[in-house]
Amino acid sequence: MSGGSEPGGGSEASAPRAPVDWNRVWRVVAIAAAVIVVARAFVYYVLIPNPENSVGIDYELYVGAARHWQATGQFYQPFQLTGPYHVIGNGEILYPPIILLLLLPFTVLPEILWWVIPIGLTVWAIVRMRPAAWSLALAGLLCTTHAVQAPFFWGTPVIWLAPAVAWGLLLGWPAAFVMLKPTLAPFALVGLTRPRAFVVGIVAFAVLALPFTPMWFDWLTAIRNSDLGLLYAYTQNLLLVVPVVVWLGRDGRWPRVPRQWRRGWRRSPDGSP
């Protein structure tokens, strides 16, 4: 009898298994997430009862308020300043007056740029980050949620804060403009990745806010009179988390995990790094 092992014997079974190519796995997840994002957005749009009257409703509200301010000098609704009121989508303006610096150009610019510019700036920042597949996959999964997609359907000004966070992570100073929405101001701290530039951004924000000083008191009155709590916009946090997740994987970085796991994640099935 030969001492060699038979086909299918123990020597073959004991051969080391090739490590999982996690880069490939995460790339597949990222592509799947992108497909789901598009599909969900399409289905959501189709299910909107009157899309022509609903899509972009917040854009129309705020740009309309900017035009009204140009004509009358009044930005906030009179009922917001005279007493308690319930926020029911009756034309309430909830952003501080410095938002006018963003809104006024759109009284003359094409409406489509309200969406194209922030989306383009965010994508550009993500490309600059050169993220790892895992961070793109997680960011893509976040983008499948209603909390991330809805602001784009309604044209809520918060969509401009996503590029502020993304570029704040890269350059520092743009993060200061997250304070356009004070309830999301903690995200401005991402600018501390470039502390000196972040301070410059804070100073620039303060200087730009100065001409609106009297209106800031109106805004405080409008918010105090409303029935909103400090966490009324908490669902919008998820939109600003997206660029943070991508940044964590910048330049192909991997999460801090045990070294033996990381070694397996970085290798291809053929054992090459």
Side-chain angles (χ1 to χ4, degrees):
M1 295 291 292
S2 171
S5 59
E6 297 181 2
S11 62
E12 186 174 320
S14 62
R17 296 176 59 186
V20 177
D21 184 356
W22 285 103
N23 276 319
R24 179 176 297 177
V25 171
W26 284 117
R27 283 195 293 268
V28 171
V29 174
I31 293 171
V35 172
I36 294 172
V37 167
V38 175
R40 186 195 183 284
F42 176 77
V43 172
Y44 187 75
Y45 178 82
V46 169
L47 295 178
I48 296 175
N50 297 300
E52 63 279 2
N53 296 325
S54 300
V55 175
I57 189 170
D58 282 352
Y59 166 84
E60 297 292 343
L61 167 64
Y62 279 94
V63 174
R67 292 194 178 101
H68 183 72
W69 177 78
Q70 285 179 305
T72 66
Q74 184 179 52
F75 188 47
Y76 299 98
Q77 295 282 2
F79 67 83
Q80 292 184 268
L81 305 177
T82 55
Y85 65 95
H86 178 52
V87 178
I88 56 174
N90 192 28
E92 303 93 348
I93 304 299
L94 302 174
Y95 281 78
I98 194 174
I99 193 73
L100 282 165
L101 295 178
L102 173 62
L103 299 174
L104 289 174
F106 285 93
T107 61
V108 294
L109 288 175
E111 179 178 336
I112 190 63
L113 294 181
W114 180 259
W115 286 267
V116 170
I117 293 175
I119 292 174
L121 286 173
T122 304
V123 171
W124 183 16
I126 289 173
V127 171
R128 284 278 303 271
M129 292 177 188
R130 298 182 299 175
W134 71 266
S135 60
L136 277 180
L138 293 183
L141 292 173
L142 290 175
C143 290
T144 66
T145 63
H146 177 77
V148 171
Q149 291 193 7
F152 290 94
F153 277 98
W154 315 136
T156 308
V158 75
I159 64 177
W160 286 84
L161 303 190
V165 170
W167 283 99
L169 288 161
L170 290 169
L171 303 178
W173 64 266
F177 293 89
V178 175
M179 293 188 294
L180 284 172
K181 191 173 184 68
T183 53
L184 299 177
F187 280 94
L189 295 177
V190 301
L192 291 174
T193 56
R194 299 288 187 274
R196 293 183 180 179
F198 180 55
V199 171
V200 171
I202 293 292
V203 172
F205 184 89
V207 170
L208 292 172
L210 278 177
F212 302 99
T213 298
M215 295 176 65
W216 278 91
F217 292 104
D218 287 344
W219 172 72
L220 289 171
T221 299
I223 295 300
R224 186 173 63 248
N225 287 343
S226 75
D227 60 350
L228 297 176
L230 291 176
L231 300 179
Y232 80 91
Y234 74 95
T235 58
Q236 296 174 349
N237 290 330
L238 206 57
L239 174 59
L240 304 192
V241 168
V242 172
V244 175
V245 169
V246 175
W247 182 79
L248 291 175
R250 65 196 181 282
D251 299 323
R253 301 185 186 196
W254 288 80
R256 294 186 178 276
V257 297
R259 184 175 300 176
Q260 62 271 24
W261 294 8
R262 188 163 64 248
R263 188 183 300 117
W265 286 7
R266 288 178 178 271
R267 292 183 179 275
S268 302
D270 60 2
S272 62

